[in-house]
């Protein structure tokens, strides 16, 4: 097999994941092709992704008919369909999980977004989804709201692998890292084995530029546009390097714990004026994950440039936040807005998805 740009990216410490999953990808062998040809070693999914998958073609109709014979609750029907996809994708990626000693080869499924502000209910569903999928290489996605952070700690303490999603701010990211470490400490104190209790922290990228650039446009500071998303991620990585070092972490590592890797999400470029692989090229560093849509994977294979970039320009990144504040951009408001919008978008997609299942129910009936 020819050595591709994405294989080269992997050699620089970046695990290539894809941010889509569908029954069609599984049935046609597209997922297997992505693993073989595009160095894909993980899959993420969310309500928006499943909404698109379910609305296209008749790939789910056979199972949907069967589920509707014994299930009335539309959410239960959805999770039955989704869990089947996740199980099959986990099986496809199991050799990757084995080969990487449980670092990669994961497939993610998200909890009900309507539970984003309910700690106990989120934890309960995370437990339930782990048991339903029943695969060692499944991540349960929990949004990094304030209540979600508590559910993340509880889930890690219960020995579950968690993909923390919808992280926008450095402050919230620090809380997520602390929740992971505390969860591991609770697990180890209770006699548990942390060896396969992994986690990734999904830091959203392009949406940060979209919101910050809009505000900068309004105040006439276009000179600062296109910087916050990458610099924000670079500062997060600096926190990662510090958090997973020193005596506290070394005690956990000695028990078999492994660091919670940074995952760069929302990496398609929304602004056509920016390079279409910007959020891949500028965030290349060791022990990270980049989850990409299909179009970004294709673009990087065609013209992506691989060079270690994640630890470059850190001083400039530190200087950017005060510069934005002086210009009148409230960083905390930007990230809080994005978190609320992110939760709402997933909730809206989930509602549309359930409506689509109800519509299919009527047609199939």
């Amino acid at each position: 097999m020819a050595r591709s740009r994405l294989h080269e990216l992997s050699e620089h410490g970046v695990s290539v994941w894809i941010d889509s999953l569908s029954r069609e990808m599984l049935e046609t062998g597209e997922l297997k092709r992505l693993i073989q040809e595009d160095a894909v070693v993980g899959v993420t999914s969310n309500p928006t992704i499943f909404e698109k998958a379910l609305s296209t073609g008749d790939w789910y109709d056979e199972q949907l008919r069967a589920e509707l014979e014994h299930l009335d609750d539309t959410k239960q029907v959805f999770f039955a369909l989704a869990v089947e996809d996740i199980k099959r994708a986990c099986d496809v990626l199991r050799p990757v999980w084995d080969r990487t000693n449980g670092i990669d080869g994961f497939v993610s499924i998200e909890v009900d977004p309507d539970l984003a502000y309910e700690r106990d209910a989120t934890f309960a569903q995370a437990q339930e989804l782990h048991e339903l999928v029943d695969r060692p290489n499944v991540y349960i996605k929990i949004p990094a709201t304030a209540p979600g952070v508590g559910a993340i700690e509880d889930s890690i303490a219960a020995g579950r692998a968690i993909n923390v999603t919808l992280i926008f701010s450095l402050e919230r990211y620090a809380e997520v890292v602390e929740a992971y470490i505390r969860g591991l400490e609770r697990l180890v104190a209770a006699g548990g084995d942390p060896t396969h209790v992994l986690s990734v922290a999904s830091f959203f990228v392009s949406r940060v530029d979209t919101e910050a650039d809009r505000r900068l446009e309004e105040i006439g500071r276009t000179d600062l546009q296109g910087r916050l998303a990458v610099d924000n991620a670079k500062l997060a990585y600096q926190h990662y390097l510090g958090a997973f070092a020193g005596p506290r972490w070394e005690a956990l590592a000695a028990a078999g714990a492994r660091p919670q890797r940074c995952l760069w999400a929302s990496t398609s470029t929304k602004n056509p004026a920016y390079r279409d692989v910007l959020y891949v090229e500028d965030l290349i560093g060791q022990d990270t994950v980049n989850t990409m849509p299909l179009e970004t994977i294709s673009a990087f294979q065609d013209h992506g440039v691989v060079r270690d970039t994640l630890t470059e320009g850190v001083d400039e990144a530190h200087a950017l936040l005060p510069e934005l504040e002086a210009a009148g951009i409230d960083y905390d408001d930007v990230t809080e807005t994005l978190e609320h919008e992110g939760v709402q978008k997933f909730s809206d997609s989930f509602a549309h998805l359930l409506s689509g299942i109800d519509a299919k129910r009527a047609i199939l009936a």
Side-chain angles (χ1 to χ4, degrees):
M1 179 177 59
R3 182 170 175 269
S4 73
R5 287 181 169 88
L6 286 172
H7 286 92
E8 186 180 355
L9 182 67
S10 300
E11 292 167 5
H12 281 248
V14 180
S15 292
V16 178
W17 290 12
I18 185 166
D19 77 347
S20 60
L21 180 65
S22 67
R23 190 67 53 87
E24 181 177 4
M25 289 174 66
L26 293 162
E27 295 281 358
T28 62
E30 173 67 4
L31 180 57
K32 287 183 179 179
R33 187 199 67 76
L34 287 162
I35 294 168
Q36 294 168 355
E37 298 180 11
D38 295 317
V40 167
V41 292
V43 175
T44 54
S45 64
N46 60 47
T48 302
I49 290 163
F50 272 115
E51 180 194 2
K52 292 176 182 176
L54 283 164
S55 64
T56 305
D58 57 2
W59 295 95
Y60 294 88
D61 287 2
E62 182 178 350
Q63 187 190 353
L64 185 55
R65 285 191 185 94
E67 301 297 346
L68 290 174
E69 289 182 3
H70 62 94
L71 291 176
D72 292 323
D73 184 88
T74 307
K75 282 189 180 181
Q76 289 183 347
V77 173
F78 160 68
F79 278 111
L81 299 174
V83 163
E84 179 63 20
D85 277 3
I86 298 298
K87 284 182 174 181
R88 292 175 63 175
C90 282
D91 292 343
V92 172
L93 279 153
R94 179 61 188 265
V96 175
W97 189 83
D98 291 333
R99 173 171 54 80
T100 62
N101 193 26
I103 295 292
D104 283 309
F106 279 91
V107 184
S108 300
I109 181 171
E110 187 153 348
V111 297
D112 181 343
D114 293 338
L115 304 178
Y117 300 104
E118 299 180 35
R119 174 176 179 164
D120 292 342
T122 294
F123 170 69
Q125 190 175 64
Q127 294 280 84
E128 180 185 3
L129 287 173
H130 260 289
E131 290 164 6
L132 284 171
V133 176
D134 192 26
R135 301 291 190 277
N137 54 327
V138 62
Y139 268 134
I140 306 302
K141 291 177 78 173
I142 297 177
T145 59
V149 170
I152 291 155
E153 179 184 334
D154 294 341
S155 297
I156 296 298
R160 301 305 193 183
I162 301 297
N163 177 342
V164 184
T165 188
L166 289 178
I167 305 173
F168 296 97
S169 76
L170 295 166
E171 180 180 5
R172 184 53 54 82
Y173 171 61
E175 293 171 0
V176 166
V177 171
E178 178 64 19
Y180 177 61
I181 292 174
R182 280 201 309 262
L184 287 173
E185 288 171 338
R186 287 168 54 188
L187 175 68
V188 171
D193 179 7
T195 306
H196 290 298
V197 186
L198 274 74
S199 179
V200 289
S202 297
F203 214 86
F204 279 51
V205 186
S206 66
R207 293 189 198 180
V208 174
D209 269 347
T210 300
E211 180 64 21
D213 286 1
R214 180 186 64 77
R215 299 184 186 203
L216 288 164
E217 183 78 29
E218 290 175 354
I219 63 174
R221 289 301 305 271
T222 56
D223 58 305
L224 294 174
Q225 288 180 328
R227 293 181 56 190
L228 181 57
V230 167
D231 283 359
N232 202 37
K234 287 183 175 182
L235 293 176
Y237 187 67
Q238 289 300 305
H239 183 82
Y240 158 84
L241 293 174
F244 295 102
R248 185 185 182 192
W249 176 251
E250 287 167 4
L252 288 169
R258 290 186 273 193
Q260 178 190 59
R261 291 185 294 171
C262 291
L263 182 152
W264 315 125
S266 183
T267 54
S268 61
T269 306
K270 307 298 190 290
N271 187 336
Y274 298 159
R275 187 167 168 81
D276 59 358
V277 289
L278 167 68
Y279 302 119
V280 182
E281 288 180 338
D282 285 12
L283 296 174
I284 299 175
Q286 287 295 316
D287 300 319
T288 59
V289 180
N290 196 306
T291 185
M292 311 175 203
L294 283 168
E295 60 268 22
T296 303
I297 280 181
S298 297
F300 198 89
Q301 286 288 52
D302 181 66
H303 52 264
V305 176
V306 178
R307 181 174 62 83
D308 292 332
T309 52
L310 191 52
T311 55
E312 294 180 349
V314 174
D315 290 342
E316 291 85 347
H318 279 292
L320 177 63
L321 297 185
E323 194 172 358
L324 288 171
E325 183 180 359
I329 300 299
D330 186 335
Y331 170 83
D332 291 336
D333 187 66
V334 168
T335 55
E336 286 171 13
T337 297
L338 288 167
E339 180 183 304
H340 291 308
E341 285 183 352
V343 171
Q344 189 61 52
K345 284 177 181 176
F346 282 168
S347 291
D348 291 345
S349 291
F350 197 54
H352 292 153
L353 185 155
L354 297 179
S355 295
I357 290 175
D358 285 334
K360 281 258 187 181
R361 181 200 301 265
I363 293 170
L364 294 175

